[in-house]
Amino acid sequence: MNTLQSLEKMYIKDVVPPKEYTAWCSKLLVQYKAAFKLVQCDEYSTVEAFVKKYKLDCTAALDRIREDRPITIKDDKGNTSKCIADIVSLFITVMDKLRLGINANDELQPDLKDLLENMTRLSLIAQDFEGRTKVKEWIGTLEGMTADETLSETQVRQMIFDLESAYNAFNRLLQHT
């Protein structure tokens, strides 16, 4: 669990290349399944129960386990419309938060990470899509800050500009698909 969690964090920070991440994540998921069968019992009938009992902080690993695939393997499961709706909603949510003066790291980063995850999941979006790059850059900026730190006025204006540009590029992509 901890290794998978660390791998997820390293991938999000762009420390691990996608090919290596996919290979390692797939291997760790197989190992997890085998290991969990050894400890599975009435007390630990689910992985969530195990995590709760031992107070593990591994939300990213749990996401991988639930999806049973590396994040690099596309799977919009025929839910393209839902993925698109989620992406649009998250773009609007983050931009609205910024316009309302909500600019603390801990209030922005979760939505930006969800946005990146949804963009990655949607098979219509290329790996090098400009919007994904901008969102990744902002996640990197926020990860370098403490939870209670806030963005400066200049950073807020730049993030709004970058997100609007990314949102417009996403809309153009949808129109040409």
Side-chain angles (χ1 to χ4, degrees), residues 92 94-102 156 160-161 164:
I92 292 169
V94 176
M95 289 188 289
D96 283 352
K97 281 183 174 183
L98 292 167
R99 288 186 179 111
L100 291 169
I102 299 169
V156 168
I160 290 171
F161 177 79
E164 281 180 344

Side-chain angles (χ1 to χ4, degrees), residues 83-94 115 167:
C83 246
I84 290 170
D86 288 344
I87 290 168
V88 168
S89 171
L90 287 162
F91 266 123
I92 292 169
T93 298
V94 176
L115 176 58
Y167 179 66

Side-chain angles (χ1 to χ4, degrees), residues 1 36 39 43-56:
M1 294 290 292
F36 189 69
V39 297
E43 189 177 359
Y44 310 122
S45 59
T46 65
V47 68
E48 287 84 0
F50 182 84
V51 166
K52 187 176 178 181
K53 167 77 176 175
Y54 290 99
K55 297 178 179 140
L56 299 175

